[in-house]
Amino acid sequence: MAAAMSWEPDESASRNAAPSPDVAVVTGGIGGIGTAVCRALADAGNRVVATYLPQEAELAQCWLGDRRAEGYHFIALPCDVASYESSVALARTVESTVGPVGVLVNCAGITRDRTLAKMEPSQWFAVLRTNLDSAFNVTRNFIEGMLARRYGRIINISSVNGLKGQFGQTNYSSAKAGLLGFTRSLAREVAPHGVTVNAVAPGYVDTSMVKAIPEPIRESIVEQIPVGRLARPEEIARVVAFLAAEASGYITGATISVNGGLFMA
């Protein structure tokens, strides 16, 4: 494994500085898929900023220590991506102390599974705010800088269930499907300005979120996957790093499925 290069925040950087496409922000970066994405982007030469919820400060410090032990030197910043004001603060902090952002990965996500007949409004709105509204909250605060510098790579993490739907996940599937519309529409708006916007739709990945599914249900899901196993987080991260590369500038508005053949469309 190639270790990320050591670096220090550039205090002189600003929103209007020269293009610096090697600064990458990963929302939900301390999660299962997020961690793998952070590693992959660092291995590709990016300077990586991972976000975490403000109440996860202790967890984030442990995460940073674990990553340093692996040879990575990330920055972790608190941000409630469901809050526009928190996202404003994140963008200001990153672009004033780290540098202009060239890569944004909207990876933060939660589940609150329940059939619609039993779903509480709080469960619906929590998922929509974290999984869909967050894409607006965060992207809105980085997009102007990308447009001004005429460079950017935005990757939104959707889901196989945003493509096919899933029992007990009207909230999650709606949010992840909404991300696909967000991706295609924004891609059309910013393509003339050197900014690409794409989505990755993972299937079931070997993370704590999937492990929380009761084992009998999880086993029945695996039985439906043609390749016969869950995805590894690194397999999702590899696609994200590909889309984030400068050389991938002719790919925009696309959704790349990484689901082991679970859904083919």
Side-chain angles (χ1 to χ4, degrees):
M1 177 197 73
M5 57 183 179
S6 298
W7 61 283
E8 297 296 333
D10 180 1
E11 300 292 343
S12 65
S14 72
R15 183 179 295 272
N16 296 316
S20 181
D22 62 340
V23 177
V25 172
V26 182
T27 70
I30 70 171
I33 293 176
T35 297
V37 168
C38 288
R39 291 191 189 108
L41 291 175
D43 290 343
N46 295 282
R47 297 178 287 172
V48 179
V49 178
T51 76
Y52 61 91
L53 286 169
Q55 61 266 32
E56 296 178 331
E58 185 174 347
L59 178 63
Q61 288 303 312
C62 292
W63 182 86
L64 284 171
D66 290 343
R67 302 294 78 76
R68 281 193 295 269
E70 297 171 349
Y72 293 98
H73 300 275
F74 299 139
I75 283 182
L77 293 175
C79 180
D80 178 1
V81 295
S83 162
Y84 186 77
E85 291 72 20
S86 185
S87 301
V88 170
L90 170 71
R92 288 176 178 169
T93 299
V94 172
E95 297 213 325
S96 66
T97 64
V98 184
V101 171
V103 177
L104 171 62
V105 183
N106 288 308
C107 189
I110 62 171
T111 57
R112 298 289 185 271
D113 294 354
R114 210 167 199 185
T115 60
L116 189 69
K118 297 180 180 179
M119 187 175 293
E120 297 296 330
S122 61
Q123 295 171 314
W124 173 269
F125 289 116
V127 170
L128 268 291
R129 287 170 182 154
T130 300
N131 295 16
L132 180 57
D133 291 355
S134 62
F136 168 80
N137 293 337
V138 178
T139 307
R140 176 65 182 83
N141 285 290
F142 286 110
I143 194 68
E144 288 185 41
M146 291 181 177
L147 294 174
R149 294 184 292 271
R150 300 190 66 81
Y151 184 89
R153 299 284 182 265
I154 299 169
I155 300 101
N156 300 313
I157 305 301
S158 181
S159 167
V160 64
N161 291 339
L163 294 167
K164 72 177 185 62
Q166 177 62 21
F167 184 92
Q169 285 196 329
T170 53
N171 49 6
Y172 184 83
S173 296
S174 295
K176 292 301 187 178
L179 271 180
L180 300 180
F182 177 89
T183 296
R184 293 168 187 144
S185 297
L186 183 58
R188 288 183 178 273
E189 293 178 5
V190 300
H193 306 282
V195 180
T196 65
V197 189
N198 293 289
V200 177
Y204 289 87
V205 185
D206 191 8
T207 63
S208 58
M209 183 182 290
V210 171
K211 288 176 181 176
I213 299 173
E215 187 172 355
I217 297 175
R218 193 168 65 246
E219 290 177 352
S220 70
I221 289 171
V222 172
E223 289 174 358
Q224 299 173 50
I225 301 173
V227 301
R229 63 174 176 82
L230 299 174
R232 295 184 292 273
E234 293 75 19
E235 293 174 305
I236 313 304
R238 186 175 297 114
V239 178
V240 173
F242 167 73
L243 292 171
E246 184 175 1
S248 296
Y250 205 66
I251 304 171
T252 196
T255 298
I256 298 181
S257 292
V258 191
N259 61 39
L262 178 61
F263 182 74
M264 305 181 191

